[in-house]
Amino acid sequence: MSGPDRGNVVINLFECKGCGLCVDSCPPKCLELLPELSASGVHPAQYLGKACTGCGICFYCCPEPGAITVYRLTPPPKSVPPGELHAAAL
Amino acid sequence: MAIDSKTSAKALEILAAGYQVSHSKSPAFYDTYERKGDCKHQTHYCPGCGHGVAHKLIAEALADLGLQDKTIFVSPVGCSVFAYYYFDVGNVQLAHGRAPAGATGIKRTCPEAIVISYQGDGDLAAIGTAEIIHAANRGEKITVFFVNNAVYGMTGGQMAPTTMLGQKTTTSPWGRRASNEGFPLHMAELIATLEAPVYVERVALSDNKNIMKARKAVRRALEVQRDGIGFSFVEILSPCPTIWAKDPVQARKWVAEKMIPEYPLAVFKDKAHEAIENRAIPQRSVQDVLEIRAKDDVPLTELPKHSHHAEDLRIKVAGFGGQGVLLLGQLLTEMGMREGLEVSWLPSYGPEMRSGSANCHVCLSQRRIGTPLVTRPDVLIAMNEPSLRKFAAQVAPGGLILYNQEHLPQDLHLPHARVLCIPASEIADKLGSSKAANMVLLGALLEATHCLLPATAEGVLTTKIKKADMLTWNCAALRAGREFMDNLTPDGTITRAH
Ligand SMILES: Cc1ncc(C[n+]2csc(CCOP(=O)(O)OP(=O)(O)O)c2C)c(N)n1
Ligand code: SF4
Ligand code: SF4
Ligand code: SF4
C-alpha cells in the first residue's frame, strides 16, 4: 500500500440499526457487521480499518441521518459553492 | 448529537490524521429527536426503511440549496407521520391524504416559503387521490415527494393502489388481481398527463446508482420550487423490509427486480425551463369590482374610508329563507369593501334553505381574514325566533343581539349579550313590504354600532337596486331602522310611569 487510504469512515454505534445496507453497498467491501450486539440490540456496522476510498456510497445508502460519517484525506477536488456541505459522491 | 465516546474519540483521531469530513448528518436534521421514549438518537423507522434514505436526500438538498430556514414540511399520515421529529424546518402534520391541500394553503399564504408535501402511497394514491390531482392540476408551486412502497406500511401491510398484480398483502392474500382489485396506479405518469405540473420524475432507492439519481431529482424538484416555476413531483420507489418480510438487502433488490419493471424510472415531464406565463391575478379597484360607475349627474368620488374603532367584527345573520338573510350579509360585505375593509361572506346553504332557516357569516376586518367561519359572533341578527334560540348562546360575551320582535321570548335569558328587540317586519310592513325587514335591521345595526357608514349603505343600495320605487322603500326602511334605534330608551334611563 502506498500511503494512507483516501477515505475513512466512522459508524455511530448509537444510531446504527444494523440493517447491513452499507456493508452490501461498499465497493471495496471495507465494512462489516460486528458480531457483538450494540446497546440497541443489533449487530452494528463497523469499518474494517482499511481500503475506504471516501466515495460516500455507504452514507447515501444508510437510512439513518447520522449513523455514518465519511472522511476524505484531501478536500473534495471540485470547488464547492458556499453553503454546500456535502460534495456529490459520484 | 448523541454519540458514544468511542465513536467521538475515533472521529478526533481521523481528523488529527489530516482527514476532512465529506459526508455527515445534514444540518437540516435536528441534533436529537424530541420524540417519545428514550430513542432520541435514532429515527423510528425500521432498519433498512426507504423513508430514512428519502429523508436524508431531502435534508441534504435543503441545506445545500440554503432553503432550510424557509421550508415548511408537511408530514402525512403513514409511517412518515413523525417526519417533524427529524427535520429542523417549519413542520405541519395533516390528516390522511390532505397534505397537498394544506400545502396549497401554506404556499399561497407564504409564497416565499418552500413547501414540501411528503406522502406515502396509501396517503397520496388512495385516500388523498383528489387532493394530489387537483393540487397538481392547479399547478401549485409546491414540491411533492411521493414514497411508493407498494403497501400501507404503518397499518400493517394492507393493499395500496400501487400494490402490484400478484403481490400478496393482508387485504389481497391471494395476490392482487386486476379483475377484483384493479390495476396498479402509476401516479407519476398520471400527474404528468396534466397540463400544469412542470417537473415529474420517478426514481428508486434500489442501489447506489439509483439513489444518486434520486438525489439529483430531489434537488431538481426543490430548485423548480425555489425558482417559482411550478408544481414538482418526485415518486420514490422505496423498500419496506418489514411488511415485505425481507431483510433490508433483499428488500432493496426487490425494488430493482419487481418494482422498477412495473414502475419505470423516467423523467416524465420537465418543462422547468419553458417560459411560464404570468399567472398573477390582475389587480382591480374596488370601484371596478363593485361596478360603481360615474353617473351623468354624479361624478365618481373617493369612497369614504372606514373609521370604526373595532379591529374586526364577526356577524351572523339568521332567519327564514326568503327574509333576505343572505342579501343582508352581502350588503354588509359590500359596504365593508367600499370602506376599504377586508371582508368575507359565507352563506350556510342547506336543504332547509327553501322554507326553513338560513344563515350567513360575515367578517369585517382591518386585517386579513383567517377564516370566514363565524363561530363566536360579535353580532347576531336573528330574524326569527328559531334562529335566536339556535345561535344566541354562540354570541361572544358582551356581544350584540338584534332580534326581529318587540320582546324576547319570556323563557329566554341572555345576560351575556346586549339584546335589542326591533319589530323590523312590522315596521317594514307599514312602509310597504315586510320584505324590507332586513333593511330595518341593517339601519338598526348601523345606528347601534356605527360599524359602517349609513351613506355607504345608501350607496350600495343605489348601485344594486335599479327600480326607483324599490330603492325608495328600501332606503326608507333603512332610515326607519336607524330612527327606531334613536328613539329607543337606553338601558338605565329613568322613565316616568304612565
Ligand atoms: C382518515 C384515516 N383513515 C385511515 C387511517 C389509517 N391509516 C393510517 S396510515 C395508513 C396507510 C399509510 O400507508 P402509506 O401512505 O403507504 O404510508 P407508509 O406507512 O407505507 O409509509 C392508514 C390507512 C387514518 N389514520 N386516517
Ligand atoms: S465511503 Fe465508500 S469505500 Fe468508504 S466505507 Fe463508505 S462505501 Fe466503503
Ligand atoms: S446502513 Fe446505516 S444503519 Fe444500516 S448497518 Fe450501515 S450504518 Fe447501520
Ligand atoms: S413498516 Fe415499512 S415503511 Fe414503515 S417504517 Fe417499517 S419499513 Fe418503513
Side-chain angles (χ1 to χ4, degrees):
Chain A
M1 277 289 288
S2 55
D5 291 315
R6 272 185 290 152
N8 215 322
V9 59
V10 175
I11 315 278
N12 179 348
L13 297 180
F14 263 170
E15 200 164 333
C16 172
K17 285 179 177 161
C19 70
L21 289 175
C22 56
V23 177
D24 184 60
S25 313
C26 172
K29 297 285 164 231
C30 63
L31 298 171
E32 64 167 356
L33 290 183
L34 269 177
E36 299 91 55
L37 291 178
S38 72
S40 358
V42 302
H43 296 288
Q46 170 178 260
Y47 180 37
L48 285 167
K50 50 177 189 294
C52 173
T53 62
C55 68
I57 285 173
C58 55
F59 175 82
Y60 289 108
C61 290
C62 172
E64 281 301 306
I68 295 185
T69 307
V70 178
Y71 299 80
R72 283 182 188 161
L73 193 53
T74 45
K78 269 186 283 173
S79 73
V80 183
E84 179 123 7
L85 289 158
H86 309 282
L90 293 178
Chain B
M1 195 196 310
I3 208 160
D4 62 316
S5 51
K6 244 165 96 196
T7 308
S8 44
K10 239 189 268 171
L12 289 175
E13 225 174 84
I14 292 170
L15 291 171
Y19 289 86
Q20 290 192 348
V21 173
S22 66
H23 299 81
S24 62
K25 183 170 173 176
S26 167
F29 285 121
Y30 289 114
D31 265 355
T32 49
Y33 314 131
E34 289 306 319
R35 60 192 192 94
K36 284 186 209 135
D38 42 32
C39 279
K40 300 199 191 314
H41 53 286
Q42 281 181 328
T43 66
H44 70 291
Y45 297 114
C46 308
C49 173
H51 279 302
V53 176
H55 282 22
K56 278 173 81 170
L57 299 180
I58 295 167
E60 188 197 54
L62 289 177
D64 289 355
L65 299 173
L67 301 175
Q68 182 181 359
D69 287 344
K70 45 192 240 174
T71 294
I72 301 175
F73 191 104
V74 184
S75 312
V77 166
C79 282
S80 49
V81 65
F82 292 143
Y84 52 77
Y85 282 140
Y86 311 125
F87 287 95
D88 187 1
V89 297
N91 283 288
V92 174
Q93 190 276 320
L94 288 174
H96 210 7
R98 303 327 185 223
T104 296
I106 295 167
K107 184 68 183 185
R108 288 195 179 198
T109 44
C110 315
E112 309 77 28
I114 296 293
V115 182
I116 294 174
S117 177
Y118 184 104
Q119 305 178 259
D121 46 350
D123 192 80
L124 181 141
I127 194 167
T129 328
E131 282 75 10
I132 190 61
I133 295 284
H134 292 293
N137 193 47
R138 291 189 306 267
E140 299 299 342
K141 293 177 175 169
I142 61 172
T143 301
V144 178
F145 293 118
F146 168 46
V147 177
N148 176 0
N149 57 18
V151 284
Y152 290 6
M154 187 203 207
T155 41
Q158 294 79 5
M159 197 194 85
T162 46
T163 295
M164 289 169 296
L165 291 179
Q167 187 184 339
K168 288 182 181 160
T169 68
T170 59
T171 47
S172 59
W174 298 283
R176 181 177 189 165
R177 291 158 301 166
S179 58
N180 204 46
E181 290 92 28
F183 292 92
L185 265 185
H186 294 72
M187 288 311 293
E189 286 88 334
L190 222 141
I191 298 286
T193 61
L194 302 171
E195 196 55 40
V198 296
Y199 176 62
V200 182
E201 180 166 358
R202 182 186 288 117
V203 296
L205 306 178
S206 53
D207 53 69
N208 319 338
K209 288 230 165 66
N210 277 332
I211 290 174
M212 294 322 287
K213 280 190 189 157
R215 177 176 179 268
K216 264 205 191 135
V218 165
R219 280 168 186 258
R220 182 106 184 86
L222 289 169
E223 283 165 359
V224 164
Q225 182 175 181
R226 177 198 60 193
D227 299 342
I229 298 171
F231 182 85
S232 50
F233 183 94
V234 181
E235 175 169 343
I236 304 172
L237 305 181
S238 172
C240 171
T242 302
I243 300 298
W244 299 352
K246 293 185 169 28
D247 73 53
V249 172
Q250 289 310 314
R252 215 167 55 154
K253 283 210 180 92
W254 200 78
V255 173
E257 286 163 11
K258 293 286 178 348
M259 287 190 80
I260 294 178
E262 174 70 36
Y263 295 110
L265 306 187
V267 178
F268 294 99
K269 202 161 191 184
D270 190 357
K271 50 176 197 177
H273 290 299
E274 286 172 26
I276 304 278
E277 101 273 19
N278 183 6
R279 272 187 284 163
I281 301 160
Q283 289 288 323
R284 290 166 65 198
S285 70
V286 171
Q287 258 112 333
D288 195 17
V289 172
L290 299 179
E291 297 180 352
I292 305 170
R293 304 249 155 74
K295 296 214 176 93
D296 297 340
D297 46 341
V298 200
L300 200 59
T301 48
E302 263 298 297
L303 298 171
K305 281 284 165 255
H306 179 81
S307 59
H308 190 61
H309 55 276
E311 202 146 271
D312 55 17
L313 200 67
R314 291 152 303 164
I315 304 171
K316 190 165 244 172
V317 190
F320 290 125
Q323 278 187 313
V325 167
L326 303 188
L327 182 67
L328 175 50
Q330 279 175 332
L331 290 177
L332 282 166
T333 46
E334 188 163 335
M335 286 170 67
M337 267 176 92
R338 287 185 182 224
E339 294 191 17
L341 290 172
E342 297 283 329
V343 301
S344 68
W345 173 76
L346 183 76
S348 172
Y349 292 108
E352 71 275 12
M353 270 284 293
R354 297 286 169 253
S355 59
S357 58
N359 72 76
C360 66
H361 307 218
V362 174
C363 296
L364 304 171
S365 180
Q366 320 227 14
R367 296 166 302 174
R368 289 180 74 178
I369 294 167
T371 168
L373 210 62
V374 175
T375 48
R376 211 92 183 99
D378 302 306
V379 176
L380 169 67
I381 302 177
M383 297 195 62
N384 64 11
E385 190 180 323
S387 309
L388 178 73
R389 291 191 182 276
K390 191 165 173 194
F391 297 119
Q394 290 182 1
V395 175
L400 174 68
I401 297 174
L402 295 178
Y403 178 45
N404 177 20
Q405 278 299 332
E406 209 157 346
H407 303 288
L408 276 184
Q410 286 212 329
D411 61 321
L412 208 58
H413 300 287
L414 303 168
H416 70 297
R418 184 159 75 110
V419 182
L420 297 173
C421 294
I422 304 130
S425 295
E426 279 170 40
I427 294 172
D429 200 36
K430 280 189 196 129
L431 289 171
S433 166
S434 65
K435 283 212 161 124
N438 54 355
M439 292 303 123
V440 176
L441 286 163
L442 175 60
L445 172 74
L446 298 182
E447 206 56 25
T449 65
H450 301 285
C451 63
L452 294 161
L453 301 169
T456 314
E458 282 180 18
V460 173
L461 292 178
T462 313
T463 18
K464 287 251 161 217
I465 304 174
K466 303 282 178 254
K467 277 195 195 152
D469 56 333
M470 261 178 69
L471 179 62
T472 312
W473 53 259
N474 271 291
C475 287
L478 187 73
R479 242 170 285 125
R482 295 177 58 204
E483 277 158 20
F484 182 87
M485 282 305 302
D486 287 343
N487 297 331
L488 203 67
T489 316
D491 282 349
T493 307
I494 299 165
T495 47
R496 203 174 299 144
H498 291 292

